[in-house]
Amino acid sequence: MSLRVSHVHGEHLAVEAPNGTEILRYVYRPDPDPFESRKPYAHPVRTLAGRTVTGYRPNDHRWHKGLQMTASHLSGQNFWGGNSYVRGRGYLALPDRVGSMRHDGFGAVTVEDRRFGFTEELTWVENGGREWAREVRGIAVHSVDEEAGSWALDWSIRLTNILAKPLVFGSPTTAGRELAGYTGLQWRGPRDFTGGRVLTPGAEDAGAGKLMGSQGPWLAFTAEHDEVDGHSTLVFAHAPENLDETSAIHESHWFVRSAPVPTVAFSWAFFEEFTLEPGESFDYRYRVVIADGAWDRDRIAAHLEALPW
């Protein structure tokens, strides 16, 4: 059996695993509330056993929606959603600073026996309606492994500055809030993932607090679900070039919390701002492995080694 893909035009794409479980729904329909920063997102994301591993519009942060590309601080605009952090003033509700990512269309679409992929064209639009950047996004579902109880989601971005002036990327930390460097590709977990365990390639279990702002090739989050007797594991992995100082536009760091909210972001501007000049582009590639069960460090490392980029 193979992957099955359905498309509700103007709404979403959905991917069904060979066992009949819908494992991914990619929603590109614009959200109704502009304050939440309208943009495409992936939710629900499920394991092969059908367990949901993404949260959607939680009451603490309504703008957290599954897995989504964001930019919390971009030349004075907020493409993350919700309140904006202002140096010396804290978080403020500033609706005129919240931008959006407009879905312009799909490019190449490939459907194979055990792999589905597409490219998407988007425009980043500041709150006043001016177009700031063009994005080509790549999404791929692959490596469905019923025996291991896992599958992989690849997410890439190529972003080009179309303004006549530089775009400056930052985060709340670059604006003065300590250890709040969130921006970039962000995952929000479901409520029952609160207090989950966080693993990295290191030998010691440092905990989410000590891993905030750290660097590394991968980070994993594992937790036990409510209602069912079982755990799930998500592994967030960088493509090799993301961590190569000679090719990456800027160093990446982990933004990770287990409590009070479960969330992970591949932060591209945690401690320092970076600038994208007019006409220039940057690229990042990421992988998320979604698995049933509580995987340990050795199993994660072996699985990632077996999935070539």
Side-chain angles (χ1 to χ4, degrees), residues 1-232:
M1 298 178 65
S2 59
L3 296 172
R4 296 186 63 181
V5 179
S6 61
H7 185 190
V8 178
H9 185 72
E11 297 276 337
H12 67 263
L13 292 162
V15 181
E16 185 179 295
N19 67 359
T21 300
E22 183 186 291
I23 54 176
L24 174 70
R25 180 166 293 200
Y26 184 81
V27 181
Y28 63 93
R29 177 191 66 249
D31 283 345
D33 188 350
F35 187 63
E36 296 176 10
S37 185
R38 293 168 170 158
K39 53 185 172 296
Y41 58 88
H43 174 80
V45 177
R46 299 187 179 95
T47 69
L48 293 180
R51 295 164 183 165
T52 300
V53 294
T54 48
Y56 175 76
R57 298 194 74 242
N59 59 25
D60 50 83
H61 297 81
R62 295 295 189 195
W63 45 93
H64 286 187
K65 295 170 183 176
L67 185 66
Q68 58 180 349
M69 185 60 68
T70 71
S72 56
H73 287 234
L74 175 54
S75 294
Q77 289 278 295
N78 171 3
F79 290 83
W80 174 280
N83 296 334
S84 299
Y85 188 83
V86 180
R87 185 181 296 274
R89 301 176 64 191
Y91 284 103
L92 301 174
L94 302 172
D96 62 342
R97 291 197 183 187
V98 181
S100 62
M101 299 178 191
R102 186 185 70 218
H103 166 82
D104 293 332
F106 291 112
V109 178
T110 59
V111 182
E112 301 171 358
D113 183 36
R114 291 290 178 119
R115 184 182 181 90
F116 166 66
F118 64 85
T119 59
E120 181 185 18
E121 297 171 355
L122 304 101
T123 300
W124 292 33
V125 184
E126 59 88 30
N127 188 268
R130 189 178 182 188
E131 298 179 353
W132 276 14
R134 296 267 192 265
E135 179 189 347
V136 177
R137 179 174 301 179
I139 303 288
V141 173
H142 62 95
S143 302
V144 176
D145 187 333
E146 291 90 345
E147 184 177 352
S150 66
W151 62 280
L153 171 66
D154 287 359
W155 189 308
S156 67
I157 176 175
R158 179 174 179 80
L159 192 70
T160 302
N161 179 1
I162 61 173
L163 287 176
K165 61 181 181 180
L167 288 172
V168 181
F169 292 79
S171 68
T173 294
T174 68
R177 187 184 176 212
E178 185 178 359
L179 295 180
Y182 53 82
T183 192
L185 184 62
Q186 182 238 356
W187 164 79
R188 172 60 192 254
R191 187 74 60 185
D192 51 5
F193 271 42
T194 303
R197 185 185 184 200
V198 180
L199 301 173
T200 62
E204 299 296 329
D205 289 341
K210 292 184 179 180
L211 293 171
M212 178 68 82
S214 65
Q215 294 177 289
W218 61 263
L219 179 146
F221 198 111
T222 183
E224 186 173 12
H225 291 273
D226 290 338
E227 299 184 17
V228 297
D229 298 326
H231 291 71
S232 291

